[in-house]
Amino acid sequence: MTTVTNGVNVQALLDAREVLKGAPEAAQFTWRASSTWRDGVHSTTTVQDFFGLGEERSHKTESVFEADHPEVFAAEDNGITPIEYLLVGLASCLTAGVASVAQNRGIQLRSVQAAVEGRHDIRGILGADSDVRNGFNDIKVTFTIDADASPQEIEALVAQSQKRSAVFDALTNPTDVTVEVA
């Protein structure tokens, strides 16, 4: 039997799943991001600390994300738009899921590409039409996967990734969002 090496430590994930079944309080994580306005519609968001497994934790390094709008919106285009970060999150989460599921199922991956596009009618955010929503009209994800697997097995990998994706869930199911002023 050939050893599958997709870079995912599935055994650690399976072990964690078993432990957390008996300790649901340890499974409660709080992810955090902090955003600072720069100028115009440009902001810088950092991600470093989070809470998980019952204690405060930090990523190895702080990640910094620039968000702005393109010049066609009379902005400086110092970064991608905030709504594009949703596409980044969805693509990253689903791709990670494909790798994890493939590793668990003994499928060797050679390449995985996810093309994600969101159709967006900006009349909503501009206040030009109150019947147009502010967010995406729809999002399409297309995977191109080269693996030691049949087309049906590849489709099953993607389906299982979608089933377990936190970002897919957050985008397709209502999530309570509270916005406050300190």
Side-chain angles (χ1 to χ4, degrees), residues 98 109-113 143-147 154-155 157-158:
V98 165
L109 299 173
R110 284 185 285 282
S111 67
V112 178
Q113 295 288 323
F143 274 100
T144 303
I145 299 173
D146 183 15
I154 291 172
E155 287 179 14
L157 287 177
V158 173

Side-chain angles (χ1 to χ4, degrees), residues 62-130:
E62 178 181 73
S63 294
V64 179
F65 304 92
E66 301 296 330
D68 202 351
H69 290 85
E71 291 177 346
V72 296
F73 287 173
E76 297 297 318
D77 206 5
N78 290 303
I80 67 174
T81 63
I83 201 163
E84 287 173 299
Y85 277 110
L86 286 176
L87 301 180
V88 171
L90 181 60
S92 300
C93 194
L94 290 173
T95 301
V98 165
S100 298
V101 174
Q103 184 73 38
N104 191 41
R105 294 183 180 178
I107 297 172
Q108 181 63 55
L109 299 173
R110 284 185 285 282
S111 67
V112 178
Q113 295 288 323
V116 185
E117 58 183 49
R119 291 185 326 115
H120 187 202
D121 183 340
I122 66 167
R123 291 178 299 162
I125 61 172
L126 294 175
D129 187 336
S130 61

